[in-house]
Amino acid sequence: MTGLGLEGALRCRQCILQAAKSSQRRTFTSTPSRQKHGALPTFTPTSSAELDTILSTFRSKVFLPSHLLKRHRDLVFRKRNHPVLTSEPVTVTIGDEEIQLEPIDHIADVPNIRKELGHLLRVMKEPSDWDNLPAFLEGLFLAKRKLDGGLVDKMVRMASEMGRQGVVMECVRRAGTTGLVLNDAKHLRQVMWGARLRALQAGWSEEGMDKALLQAEQIMELLEDPKHSSKLGVVGEHPRTLPEVNGVVLELAAVKAVKYANSKDEDRKVATYATTTLASIQTHGNFDFNSDDWHDANYKLQMWAPVLHGLRLAFGVLKENTTLAQDIRNTTRELGEVVSQTRTIVLANTPQDGTRRGLKVYDDIASSQHAS
């Protein structure tokens, strides 16, 4: 090494040591006005210590670094700066919280997002555990950790199965900070399916129907928000044009009319939603499915059986409205044949002692007192 190079290296080394000594004599602080994202997401205690540990790890190893200014991130992640953190406490202020910084090893400490999310979902076994979902999604979103679409759908489905559709809706309303937007067809179907499940979980009771229909209508309103209304694979296509989305709203309105309004469309909702459902079916053309793929048949059966159910009930309610009723009759005839075909394919590929999601949806409808 030349004399000039040696002198530069020594000078650089001295700068690092001086910075370390200086940092030991004072704490590093970040005023609220200089924070990148404001306060850190906080979690409520859950049903298990294992789940608490997972959430705490995400908070300290993934969410915290995304809130730090660059000089603090350098302290946390650069190994040459770790002696500063271990020799004397270094704290930062994030929101109203004083946090002591600790060394983080990118490889050993930062969790694998996909792997740990799977772990997290496996241990969320109590309904109250889902209270932490909005804060968790917010932390991931602000840390710019994009979730796999399949995991998002699974998360929404599991929360709904636990009866926590309200938490899911909170995440959707806070899409700007949680990232749960409905401009993905699968996400939208899953969230709308949660509204339908709400009615099913309540045994199609009047109170349950009111809440389920209200949630479905709120979802449709949210689709008008630009965050949720971008195209779904086809230029100019709007999320609310999906038949299986409109069909769920129609089904809920029609069941409510049949069971609790003496089959009368007193608020005109059945006619309104039947019209939009028929229009969405016309927009999307036909009811194609792959007859050689029972997985596709099962998925289509799950989606189309509620649409058919809603249309059939609507026909009974709107039979005096001859023009609309005739359009419903023609569509139900075609859709009924497709639902029957998909059911046959799925049945042929279902173990004798097992079931499929599409078959369960179909059988639940068939066994209901309001089936038509």
Side-chain angles (χ1 to χ4, degrees), residues 98-135:
E98 283 276 320
I99 298 177
Q100 181 175 324
L101 299 182
E102 298 178 351
I104 297 178
D105 186 305
H106 268 295
I107 298 176
D109 298 331
V110 179
N112 178 290
I113 300 298
R114 182 176 178 82
K115 179 180 178 181
E116 284 305 305
L117 271 179
H119 185 192
L120 179 140
L121 292 177
R122 287 193 297 273
V123 297
M124 292 182 75
K125 297 182 178 180
E126 297 296 329
S128 60
D129 292 340
W130 293 92
D131 290 337
N132 290 305
L133 183 61

PDB file of all heavy atoms in Angstrom, residues 98-135:
ATOM      1  N   GLU A  98     -39.847   5.100  22.937  1.00  0.00           N
ATOM      2  CA  GLU A  98     -38.383   5.076  22.984  1.00  0.00           C
ATOM      3  C   GLU A  98     -37.927   3.643  22.719  1.00  0.00           C
ATOM      4  O   GLU A  98     -38.312   2.716  23.442  1.00  0.00           O
ATOM      5  CB  GLU A  98     -37.886   5.527  24.357  1.00  0.00           C
ATOM      6  CG  GLU A  98     -37.951   7.026  24.587  1.00  0.00           C
ATOM      7  CD  GLU A  98     -36.728   7.742  24.017  1.00  0.00           C
ATOM      8  OE1 GLU A  98     -35.614   7.227  24.146  1.00  0.00           O
ATOM      9  OE2 GLU A  98     -36.919   8.808  23.417  1.00  0.00           O
ATOM     10  N   ILE A  99     -37.107   3.456  21.702  1.00  0.00           N
ATOM     11  CA  ILE A  99     -36.689   2.105  21.328  1.00  0.00           C
ATOM     12  C   ILE A  99     -35.176   2.020  21.320  1.00  0.00           C
ATOM     13  O   ILE A  99     -34.495   2.852  20.717  1.00  0.00           O
ATOM     14  CB  ILE A  99     -37.232   1.723  19.938  1.00  0.00           C
ATOM     15  CG1 ILE A  99     -38.759   1.732  19.958  1.00  0.00           C
ATOM     16  CG2 ILE A  99     -36.708   0.360  19.504  1.00  0.00           C
ATOM     17  CD1 ILE A  99     -39.381   1.432  18.622  1.00  0.00           C
ATOM     18  N   GLN A 100     -34.660   1.015  22.020  1.00  0.00           N
ATOM     19  CA  GLN A 100     -33.216   0.783  22.020  1.00  0.00           C
ATOM     20  C   GLN A 100     -32.857  -0.065  20.809  1.00  0.00           C
ATOM     21  O   GLN A 100     -33.421  -1.144  20.587  1.00  0.00           O
ATOM     22  CB  GLN A 100     -32.785   0.070  23.297  1.00  0.00           C
ATOM     23  CG  GLN A 100     -31.286  -0.175  23.372  1.00  0.00           C
ATOM     24  CD  GLN A 100     -30.868  -0.777  24.698  1.00  0.00           C
ATOM     25  OE1 GLN A 100     -31.418  -0.453  25.742  1.00  0.00           O
ATOM     26  NE2 GLN A 100     -29.896  -1.667  24.649  1.00  0.00           N
ATOM     27  N   LEU A 101     -31.925   0.418  20.022  1.00  0.00           N
ATOM     28  CA  LEU A 101     -31.523  -0.292  18.818  1.00  0.00           C
ATOM     29  C   LEU A 101     -30.636  -1.478  19.154  1.00  0.00           C
ATOM     30  O   LEU A 101     -29.828  -1.427  20.088  1.00  0.00           O
ATOM     31  CB  LEU A 101     -30.783   0.648  17.864  1.00  0.00           C
ATOM     32  CG  LEU A 101     -31.573   1.857  17.357  1.00  0.00           C
ATOM     33  CD1 LEU A 101     -30.722   2.663  16.381  1.00  0.00           C
ATOM     34  CD2 LEU A 101     -32.880   1.423  16.693  1.00  0.00           C
ATOM     35  N   GLU A 102     -30.798  -2.528  18.378  1.00  0.00           N
ATOM     36  CA  GLU A 102     -30.004  -3.743  18.549  1.00  0.00           C
ATOM     37  C   GLU A 102     -29.461  -4.175  17.191  1.00  0.00           C
ATOM     38  O   GLU A 102     -30.095  -3.924  16.161  1.00  0.00           O
ATOM     39  CB  GLU A 102     -30.848  -4.868  19.156  1.00  0.00           C
ATOM     40  CG  GLU A 102     -31.380  -4.562  20.548  1.00  0.00           C
ATOM     41  CD  GLU A 102     -32.243  -5.694  21.078  1.00  0.00           C
ATOM     42  OE1 GLU A 102     -32.550  -6.623  20.299  1.00  0.00           O
ATOM     43  OE2 GLU A 102     -32.614  -5.645  22.266  1.00  0.00           O
ATOM     44  N   PRO A 103     -28.312  -4.841  17.179  1.00  0.00           N
ATOM     45  CA  PRO A 103     -27.759  -5.325  15.903  1.00  0.00           C
ATOM     46  C   PRO A 103     -28.704  -6.310  15.230  1.00  0.00           C
ATOM     47  O   PRO A 103     -29.354  -7.119  15.904  1.00  0.00           O
ATOM     48  CB  PRO A 103     -26.455  -6.012  16.318  1.00  0.00           C
ATOM     49  CG  PRO A 103     -26.112  -5.415  17.643  1.00  0.00           C
ATOM     50  CD  PRO A 103     -27.421  -5.140  18.318  1.00  0.00           C
ATOM     51  N   ILE A 104     -28.794  -6.228  13.913  1.00  0.00           N
ATOM     52  CA  ILE A 104     -29.613  -7.166  13.148  1.00  0.00           C
ATOM     53  C   ILE A 104     -28.760  -7.755  12.038  1.00  0.00           C
ATOM     54  O   ILE A 104     -28.150  -7.024  11.250  1.00  0.00           O
ATOM     55  CB  ILE A 104     -30.845  -6.478  12.537  1.00  0.00           C
ATOM     56  CG1 ILE A 104     -31.767  -5.938  13.637  1.00  0.00           C
ATOM     57  CG2 ILE A 104     -31.619  -7.453  11.645  1.00  0.00           C
ATOM     58  CD1 ILE A 104     -32.984  -5.191  13.088  1.00  0.00           C
ATOM     59  N   ASP A 105     -28.747  -9.077  11.984  1.00  0.00           N
ATOM     60  CA  ASP A 105     -28.047  -9.790  10.915  1.00  0.00           C
ATOM     61  C   ASP A 105     -29.071 -10.108   9.829  1.00  0.00           C
ATOM     62  O   ASP A 105     -30.065 -10.788  10.080  1.00  0.00           O
ATOM     63  CB  ASP A 105     -27.422 -11.077  11.456  1.00  0.00           C
ATOM     64  CG  ASP A 105     -26.566 -11.785  10.424  1.00  0.00           C
ATOM     65  OD1 ASP A 105     -27.077 -12.083   9.325  1.00  0.00           O
ATOM     66  OD2 ASP A 105     -25.384 -12.053  10.717  1.00  0.00           O
ATOM     67  N   HIS A 106     -28.825  -9.617   8.627  1.00  0.00           N
ATOM     68  CA  HIS A 106     -29.776  -9.802   7.525  1.00  0.00           C
ATOM     69  C   HIS A 106     -30.130 -11.270   7.317  1.00  0.00           C
ATOM     70  O   HIS A 106     -31.284 -11.612   7.049  1.00  0.00           O
ATOM     71  CB  HIS A 106     -29.188  -9.250   6.220  1.00  0.00           C
ATOM     72  CG  HIS A 106     -29.558  -7.828   5.957  1.00  0.00           C
ATOM     73  ND1 HIS A 106     -30.848  -7.420   5.721  1.00  0.00           N
ATOM     74  CD2 HIS A 106     -28.793  -6.702   5.894  1.00  0.00           C
ATOM     75  CE1 HIS A 106     -30.874  -6.114   5.524  1.00  0.00           C
ATOM     76  NE2 HIS A 106     -29.642  -5.644   5.619  1.00  0.00           N
ATOM     77  N   ILE A 107     -29.145 -12.139   7.439  1.00  0.00           N
ATOM     78  CA  ILE A 107     -29.365 -13.559   7.143  1.00  0.00           C
ATOM     79  C   ILE A 107     -29.943 -14.304   8.342  1.00  0.00           C
ATOM     80  O   ILE A 107     -30.923 -15.044   8.222  1.00  0.00           O
ATOM     81  CB  ILE A 107     -28.048 -14.223   6.702  1.00  0.00           C
ATOM     82  CG1 ILE A 107     -27.546 -13.569   5.411  1.00  0.00           C
ATOM     83  CG2 ILE A 107     -28.238 -15.724   6.504  1.00  0.00           C
ATOM     84  CD1 ILE A 107     -26.210 -14.085   4.932  1.00  0.00           C
ATOM     85  N   ALA A 108     -29.369 -14.097   9.504  1.00  0.00           N
ATOM     86  CA  ALA A 108     -29.758 -14.875  10.680  1.00  0.00           C
ATOM     87  C   ALA A 108     -31.005 -14.347  11.376  1.00  0.00           C
ATOM     88  O   ALA A 108     -31.769 -15.131  11.958  1.00  0.00           O
ATOM     89  CB  ALA A 108     -28.595 -14.922  11.674  1.00  0.00           C
ATOM     90  N   ASP A 109     -31.243 -13.035  11.326  1.00  0.00           N
ATOM     91  CA  ASP A 109     -32.300 -12.442  12.145  1.00  0.00           C
ATOM     92  C   ASP A 109     -33.574 -12.079  11.394  1.00  0.00           C
ATOM     93  O   ASP A 109     -34.667 -12.172  11.949  1.00  0.00           O
ATOM     94  CB  ASP A 109     -31.766 -11.183  12.836  1.00  0.00           C
ATOM     95  CG  ASP A 109     -30.611 -11.470  13.777  1.00  0.00           C
ATOM     96  OD1 ASP A 109     -30.575 -12.586  14.323  1.00  0.00           O
ATOM     97  OD2 ASP A 109     -29.745 -10.590  13.957  1.00  0.00           O
ATOM     98  N   VAL A 110     -33.447 -11.629  10.154  1.00  0.00           N
ATOM     99  CA  VAL A 110     -34.632 -11.181   9.415  1.00  0.00           C
ATOM    100  C   VAL A 110     -35.409 -12.400   8.922  1.00  0.00           C
ATOM    101  O   VAL A 110     -34.857 -13.244   8.209  1.00  0.00           O
ATOM    102  CB  VAL A 110     -34.236 -10.290   8.219  1.00  0.00           C
ATOM    103  CG1 VAL A 110     -35.478  -9.866   7.444  1.00  0.00           C
ATOM    104  CG2 VAL A 110     -33.464  -9.073   8.711  1.00  0.00           C
ATOM    105  N   PRO A 111     -36.696 -12.528   9.297  1.00  0.00           N
ATOM    106  CA  PRO A 111     -37.462 -13.724   8.918  1.00  0.00           C
ATOM    107  C   PRO A 111     -37.760 -13.808   7.434  1.00  0.00           C
ATOM    108  O   PRO A 111     -37.906 -12.783   6.763  1.00  0.00           O
ATOM    109  CB  PRO A 111     -38.760 -13.565   9.728  1.00  0.00           C
ATOM    110  CG  PRO A 111     -38.886 -12.099   9.972  1.00  0.00           C
ATOM    111  CD  PRO A 111     -37.480 -11.596  10.107  1.00  0.00           C
ATOM    112  N   ASN A 112     -37.815 -15.046   6.940  1.00  0.00           N
ATOM    113  CA  ASN A 112     -38.270 -15.298   5.582  1.00  0.00           C
ATOM    114  C   ASN A 112     -39.774 -15.034   5.561  1.00  0.00           C
ATOM    115  O   ASN A 112     -40.542 -15.719   6.241  1.00  0.00           O
ATOM    116  CB  ASN A 112     -37.983 -16.750   5.186  1.00  0.00           C
ATOM    117  CG  ASN A 112     -38.481 -17.090   3.801  1.00  0.00           C
ATOM    118  OD1 ASN A 112     -39.684 -17.169   3.571  1.00  0.00           O
ATOM    119  ND2 ASN A 112     -37.564 -17.322   2.885  1.00  0.00           N
ATOM    120  N   ILE A 113     -40.197 -14.015   4.814  1.00  0.00           N
ATOM    121  CA  ILE A 113     -41.578 -13.556   4.892  1.00  0.00           C
ATOM    122  C   ILE A 113     -42.576 -14.674   4.573  1.00  0.00           C
ATOM    123  O   ILE A 113     -43.513 -14.918   5.341  1.00  0.00           O
ATOM    124  CB  ILE A 113     -41.809 -12.360   3.945  1.00  0.00           C
ATOM    125  CG1 ILE A 113     -40.878 -11.196   4.323  1.00  0.00           C
ATOM    126  CG2 ILE A 113     -43.263 -11.923   4.005  1.00  0.00           C
ATOM    127  CD1 ILE A 113     -41.098 -10.646   5.702  1.00  0.00           C
ATOM    128  N   ARG A 114     -42.402 -15.351   3.456  1.00  0.00           N
ATOM    129  CA  ARG A 114     -43.364 -16.378   3.056  1.00  0.00           C
ATOM    130  C   ARG A 114     -43.414 -17.523   4.075  1.00  0.00           C
ATOM    131  O   ARG A 114     -44.493 -17.966   4.485  1.00  0.00           O
ATOM    132  CB  ARG A 114     -43.022 -16.923   1.671  1.00  0.00           C
ATOM    133  CG  ARG A 114     -44.018 -17.965   1.193  1.00  0.00           C
ATOM    134  CD  ARG A 114     -43.722 -18.427  -0.218  1.00  0.00           C
ATOM    135  NE  ARG A 114     -44.667 -19.452  -0.633  1.00  0.00           N
ATOM    136  CZ  ARG A 114     -45.879 -19.205  -1.106  1.00  0.00           C
ATOM    137  NH1 ARG A 114     -46.286 -17.971  -1.223  1.00  0.00           N
ATOM    138  NH2 ARG A 114     -46.678 -20.193  -1.458  1.00  0.00           N
ATOM    139  N   LYS A 115     -42.244 -17.980   4.506  1.00  0.00           N
ATOM    140  CA  LYS A 115     -42.191 -19.092   5.450  1.00  0.00           C
ATOM    141  C   LYS A 115     -42.820 -18.719   6.788  1.00  0.00           C
ATOM    142  O   LYS A 115     -43.628 -19.474   7.350  1.00  0.00           O
ATOM    143  CB  LYS A 115     -40.733 -19.514   5.655  1.00  0.00           C
ATOM    144  CG  LYS A 115     -40.561 -20.650   6.646  1.00  0.00           C
ATOM    145  CD  LYS A 115     -39.090 -21.011   6.793  1.00  0.00           C
ATOM    146  CE  LYS A 115     -38.887 -22.107   7.824  1.00  0.00           C
ATOM    147  NZ  LYS A 115     -37.453 -22.447   7.984  1.00  0.00           N
ATOM    148  N   GLU A 116     -42.473 -17.541   7.309  1.00  0.00           N
ATOM    149  CA  GLU A 116     -42.981 -17.141   8.613  1.00  0.00           C
ATOM    150  C   GLU A 116     -44.452 -16.763   8.570  1.00  0.00           C
ATOM    151  O   GLU A 116     -45.164 -16.900   9.564  1.00  0.00           O
ATOM    152  CB  GLU A 116     -42.150 -15.982   9.175  1.00  0.00           C
ATOM    153  CG  GLU A 116     -40.807 -16.426   9.712  1.00  0.00           C
ATOM    154  CD  GLU A 116     -40.942 -17.525  10.764  1.00  0.00           C
ATOM    155  OE1 GLU A 116     -41.668 -17.330  11.747  1.00  0.00           O
ATOM    156  OE2 GLU A 116     -40.326 -18.596  10.573  1.00  0.00           O
ATOM    157  N   LEU A 117     -44.931 -16.293   7.423  1.00  0.00           N
ATOM    158  CA  LEU A 117     -46.357 -16.008   7.305  1.00  0.00           C
ATOM    159  C   LEU A 117     -47.162 -17.299   7.371  1.00  0.00           C
ATOM    160  O   LEU A 117     -48.228 -17.346   7.985  1.00  0.00           O
ATOM    161  CB  LEU A 117     -46.646 -15.278   5.996  1.00  0.00           C
ATOM    162  CG  LEU A 117     -46.572 -13.760   6.044  1.00  0.00           C
ATOM    163  CD1 LEU A 117     -46.846 -13.170   4.676  1.00  0.00           C
ATOM    164  CD2 LEU A 117     -47.553 -13.206   7.054  1.00  0.00           C
ATOM    165  N   GLY A 118     -46.649 -18.337   6.718  1.00  0.00           N
ATOM    166  CA  GLY A 118     -47.304 -19.634   6.814  1.00  0.00           C
ATOM    167  C   GLY A 118     -47.351 -20.117   8.245  1.00  0.00           C
ATOM    168  O   GLY A 118     -48.366 -20.655   8.715  1.00  0.00           O
ATOM    169  N   HIS A 119     -46.247 -19.930   8.950  1.00  0.00           N
ATOM    170  CA  HIS A 119     -46.168 -20.297  10.366  1.00  0.00           C
ATOM    171  C   HIS A 119     -47.177 -19.488  11.176  1.00  0.00           C
ATOM    172  O   HIS A 119     -47.903 -20.030  12.025  1.00  0.00           O
ATOM    173  CB  HIS A 119     -44.739 -20.046  10.867  1.00  0.00           C
ATOM    174  CG  HIS A 119     -44.505 -20.494  12.272  1.00  0.00           C
ATOM    175  ND1 HIS A 119     -43.371 -20.137  12.987  1.00  0.00           N
ATOM    176  CD2 HIS A 119     -45.252 -21.249  13.128  1.00  0.00           C
ATOM    177  CE1 HIS A 119     -43.442 -20.659  14.194  1.00  0.00           C
ATOM    178  NE2 HIS A 119     -44.570 -21.329  14.303  1.00  0.00           N
ATOM    179  N   LEU A 120     -47.229 -18.194  10.907  1.00  0.00           N
ATOM    180  CA  LEU A 120     -48.142 -17.319  11.639  1.00  0.00           C
ATOM    181  C   LEU A 120     -49.593 -17.760  11.452  1.00  0.00           C
ATOM    182  O   LEU A 120     -50.366 -17.828  12.422  1.00  0.00           O
ATOM    183  CB  LEU A 120     -47.951 -15.880  11.162  1.00  0.00           C
ATOM    184  CG  LEU A 120     -48.841 -14.804  11.795  1.00  0.00           C
ATOM    185  CD1 LEU A 120     -48.037 -13.535  12.054  1.00  0.00           C
ATOM    186  CD2 LEU A 120     -50.020 -14.481  10.881  1.00  0.00           C
ATOM    187  N   LEU A 121     -49.988 -18.068  10.214  1.00  0.00           N
ATOM    188  CA  LEU A 121     -51.371 -18.470   9.951  1.00  0.00           C
ATOM    189  C   LEU A 121     -51.717 -19.783  10.643  1.00  0.00           C
ATOM    190  O   LEU A 121     -52.857 -19.987  11.078  1.00  0.00           O
ATOM    191  CB  LEU A 121     -51.605 -18.591   8.445  1.00  0.00           C
ATOM    192  CG  LEU A 121     -51.571 -17.280   7.657  1.00  0.00           C
ATOM    193  CD1 LEU A 121     -51.751 -17.548   6.170  1.00  0.00           C
ATOM    194  CD2 LEU A 121     -52.636 -16.323   8.157  1.00  0.00           C
ATOM    195  N   ARG A 122     -50.736 -20.665  10.780  1.00  0.00           N
ATOM    196  CA  ARG A 122     -50.996 -21.953  11.423  1.00  0.00           C
ATOM    197  C   ARG A 122     -51.271 -21.808  12.917  1.00  0.00           C
ATOM    198  O   ARG A 122     -51.969 -22.640  13.499  1.00  0.00           O
ATOM    199  CB  ARG A 122     -49.811 -22.900  11.210  1.00  0.00           C
ATOM    200  CG  ARG A 122     -49.698 -23.448   9.805  1.00  0.00           C
ATOM    201  CD  ARG A 122     -48.719 -24.616   9.729  1.00  0.00           C
ATOM    202  NE  ARG A 122     -47.372 -24.230  10.076  1.00  0.00           N
ATOM    203  CZ  ARG A 122     -46.484 -23.733   9.213  1.00  0.00           C
ATOM    204  NH1 ARG A 122     -46.839 -23.560   7.945  1.00  0.00           N
ATOM    205  NH2 ARG A 122     -45.262 -23.412   9.592  1.00  0.00           N
ATOM    206  N   VAL A 123     -50.729 -20.768  13.540  1.00  0.00           N
ATOM    207  CA  VAL A 123     -50.898 -20.623  14.988  1.00  0.00           C
ATOM    208  C   VAL A 123     -51.963 -19.590  15.364  1.00  0.00           C
ATOM    209  O   VAL A 123     -52.204 -19.348  16.542  1.00  0.00           O
ATOM    210  CB  VAL A 123     -49.559 -20.270  15.677  1.00  0.00           C
ATOM    211  CG1 VAL A 123     -48.560 -21.400  15.496  1.00  0.00           C
ATOM    212  CG2 VAL A 123     -48.989 -18.960  15.146  1.00  0.00           C
ATOM    213  N   MET A 124     -52.610 -18.985  14.359  1.00  0.00           N
ATOM    214  CA  MET A 124     -53.722 -18.071  14.654  1.00  0.00           C
ATOM    215  C   MET A 124     -54.994 -18.900  14.781  1.00  0.00           C
ATOM    216  O   MET A 124     -55.762 -19.055  13.832  1.00  0.00           O
ATOM    217  CB  MET A 124     -53.840 -17.005  13.567  1.00  0.00           C
ATOM    218  CG  MET A 124     -52.675 -16.039  13.549  1.00  0.00           C
ATOM    219  SD  MET A 124     -52.809 -14.715  12.311  1.00  0.00           S
ATOM    220  CE  MET A 124     -54.020 -13.637  13.062  1.00  0.00           C
ATOM    221  N   LYS A 125     -55.223 -19.418  15.976  1.00  0.00           N
ATOM    222  CA  LYS A 125     -56.280 -20.406  16.187  1.00  0.00           C
ATOM    223  C   LYS A 125     -57.515 -19.869  16.898  1.00  0.00           C
ATOM    224  O   LYS A 125     -58.535 -20.554  16.968  1.00  0.00           O
ATOM    225  CB  LYS A 125     -55.713 -21.594  16.961  1.00  0.00           C
ATOM    226  CG  LYS A 125     -54.610 -22.328  16.199  1.00  0.00           C
ATOM    227  CD  LYS A 125     -54.092 -23.528  16.953  1.00  0.00           C
ATOM    228  CE  LYS A 125     -53.024 -24.266  16.149  1.00  0.00           C
ATOM    229  NZ  LYS A 125     -52.488 -25.450  16.869  1.00  0.00           N
ATOM    230  N   GLU A 126     -57.437 -18.673  17.439  1.00  0.00           N
ATOM    231  CA  GLU A 126     -58.574 -18.096  18.146  1.00  0.00           C
ATOM    232  C   GLU A 126     -59.059 -16.847  17.408  1.00  0.00           C
ATOM    233  O   GLU A 126     -58.257 -16.108  16.834  1.00  0.00           O
ATOM    234  CB  GLU A 126     -58.186 -17.726  19.582  1.00  0.00           C
ATOM    235  CG  GLU A 126     -57.787 -18.918  20.440  1.00  0.00           C
ATOM    236  CD  GLU A 126     -58.931 -19.891  20.653  1.00  0.00           C
ATOM    237  OE1 GLU A 126     -60.106 -19.417  20.673  1.00  0.00           O
ATOM    238  OE2 GLU A 126     -58.675 -21.096  20.780  1.00  0.00           O
ATOM    239  N   PRO A 127     -60.368 -16.598  17.426  1.00  0.00           N
ATOM    240  CA  PRO A 127     -60.896 -15.405  16.741  1.00  0.00           C
ATOM    241  C   PRO A 127     -60.213 -14.112  17.174  1.00  0.00           C
ATOM    242  O   PRO A 127     -59.965 -13.225  16.341  1.00  0.00           O
ATOM    243  CB  PRO A 127     -62.383 -15.408  17.132  1.00  0.00           C
ATOM    244  CG  PRO A 127     -62.695 -16.857  17.348  1.00  0.00           C
ATOM    245  CD  PRO A 127     -61.460 -17.434  17.979  1.00  0.00           C
ATOM    246  N   SER A 128     -59.874 -13.995  18.450  1.00  0.00           N
ATOM    247  CA  SER A 128     -59.256 -12.762  18.949  1.00  0.00           C
ATOM    248  C   SER A 128     -57.855 -12.538  18.376  1.00  0.00           C
ATOM    249  O   SER A 128     -57.369 -11.401  18.339  1.00  0.00           O
ATOM    250  CB  SER A 128     -59.187 -12.785  20.478  1.00  0.00           C
ATOM    251  OG  SER A 128     -58.414 -13.887  20.933  1.00  0.00           O
ATOM    252  N   ASP A 129     -57.207 -13.610  17.929  1.00  0.00           N
ATOM    253  CA  ASP A 129     -55.867 -13.463  17.348  1.00  0.00           C
ATOM    254  C   ASP A 129     -55.895 -12.563  16.118  1.00  0.00           C
ATOM    255  O   ASP A 129     -54.898 -11.900  15.802  1.00  0.00           O
ATOM    256  CB  ASP A 129     -55.305 -14.835  16.953  1.00  0.00           C
ATOM    257  CG  ASP A 129     -55.011 -15.718  18.161  1.00  0.00           C
ATOM    258  OD1 ASP A 129     -54.872 -15.175  19.271  1.00  0.00           O
ATOM    259  OD2 ASP A 129     -54.943 -16.947  17.990  1.00  0.00           O
ATOM    260  N   TRP A 130     -57.039 -12.544  15.431  1.00  0.00           N
ATOM    261  CA  TRP A 130     -57.140 -11.772  14.184  1.00  0.00           C
ATOM    262  C   TRP A 130     -57.283 -10.281  14.424  1.00  0.00           C
ATOM    263  O   TRP A 130     -57.265  -9.498  13.466  1.00  0.00           O
ATOM    264  CB  TRP A 130     -58.311 -12.306  13.345  1.00  0.00           C
ATOM    265  CG  TRP A 130     -58.035 -13.688  12.851  1.00  0.00           C
ATOM    266  CD1 TRP A 130     -58.361 -14.867  13.457  1.00  0.00           C
ATOM    267  CD2 TRP A 130     -57.314 -14.047  11.674  1.00  0.00           C
ATOM    268  NE1 TRP A 130     -57.913 -15.939  12.725  1.00  0.00           N
ATOM    269  CE2 TRP A 130     -57.258 -15.464  11.631  1.00  0.00           C
ATOM    270  CE3 TRP A 130     -56.719 -13.322  10.645  1.00  0.00           C
ATOM    271  CZ2 TRP A 130     -56.630 -16.152  10.588  1.00  0.00           C
ATOM    272  CZ3 TRP A 130     -56.094 -14.002   9.615  1.00  0.00           C
ATOM    273  CH2 TRP A 130     -56.055 -15.402   9.594  1.00  0.00           C
ATOM    274  N   ASP A 131     -57.414  -9.862  15.677  1.00  0.00           N
ATOM    275  CA  ASP A 131     -57.442  -8.425  15.976  1.00  0.00           C
ATOM    276  C   ASP A 131     -56.170  -7.734  15.495  1.00  0.00           C
ATOM    277  O   ASP A 131     -56.172  -6.531  15.218  1.00  0.00           O
ATOM    278  CB  ASP A 131     -57.591  -8.188  17.490  1.00  0.00           C
ATOM    279  CG  ASP A 131     -58.974  -8.563  17.997  1.00  0.00           C
ATOM    280  OD1 ASP A 131     -59.917  -8.587  17.185  1.00  0.00           O
ATOM    281  OD2 ASP A 131     -59.113  -8.835  19.206  1.00  0.00           O
ATOM    282  N   ASN A 132     -55.090  -8.491  15.411  1.00  0.00           N
ATOM    283  CA  ASN A 132     -53.791  -7.921  15.043  1.00  0.00           C
ATOM    284  C   ASN A 132     -53.565  -7.846  13.525  1.00  0.00           C
ATOM    285  O   ASN A 132     -52.532  -7.334  13.083  1.00  0.00           O
ATOM    286  CB  ASN A 132     -52.663  -8.750  15.664  1.00  0.00           C
ATOM    287  CG  ASN A 132     -52.597  -8.577  17.166  1.00  0.00           C
ATOM    288  OD1 ASN A 132     -52.504  -7.468  17.673  1.00  0.00           O
ATOM    289  ND2 ASN A 132     -52.649  -9.689  17.895  1.00  0.00           N
ATOM    290  N   LEU A 133     -54.518  -8.340  12.739  1.00  0.00           N
ATOM    291  CA  LEU A 133     -54.304  -8.383  11.288  1.00  0.00           C
ATOM    292  C   LEU A 133     -54.094  -7.002  10.662  1.00  0.00           C
ATOM    293  O   LEU A 133     -53.153  -6.831   9.873  1.00  0.00           O
ATOM    294  CB  LEU A 133     -55.482  -9.092  10.604  1.00  0.00           C
ATOM    295  CG  LEU A 133     -55.362  -9.264   9.081  1.00  0.00           C
ATOM    296  CD1 LEU A 133     -54.140 -10.109   8.730  1.00  0.00           C
ATOM    297  CD2 LEU A 133     -56.631  -9.899   8.507  1.00  0.00           C
ATOM    298  N   PRO A 134     -54.906  -5.983  10.971  1.00  0.00           N
ATOM    299  CA  PRO A 134     -54.674  -4.673  10.340  1.00  0.00           C
ATOM    300  C   PRO A 134     -53.283  -4.113  10.634  1.00  0.00           C
ATOM    301  O   PRO A 134     -52.606  -3.614   9.725  1.00  0.00           O
ATOM    302  CB  PRO A 134     -55.775  -3.791  10.952  1.00  0.00           C
ATOM    303  CG  PRO A 134     -56.856  -4.747  11.320  1.00  0.00           C
ATOM    304  CD  PRO A 134     -56.144  -5.972  11.793  1.00  0.00           C
ATOM    305  N   ALA A 135     -52.857  -4.186  11.892  1.00  0.00           N
ATOM    306  CA  ALA A 135     -51.534  -3.662  12.247  1.00  0.00           C
ATOM    307  C   ALA A 135     -50.427  -4.462  11.565  1.00  0.00           C
ATOM    308  O   ALA A 135     -49.419  -3.899  11.119  1.00  0.00           O
ATOM    309  CB  ALA A 135     -51.345  -3.699  13.769  1.00  0.00           C
TER     310      ALA A 135
END
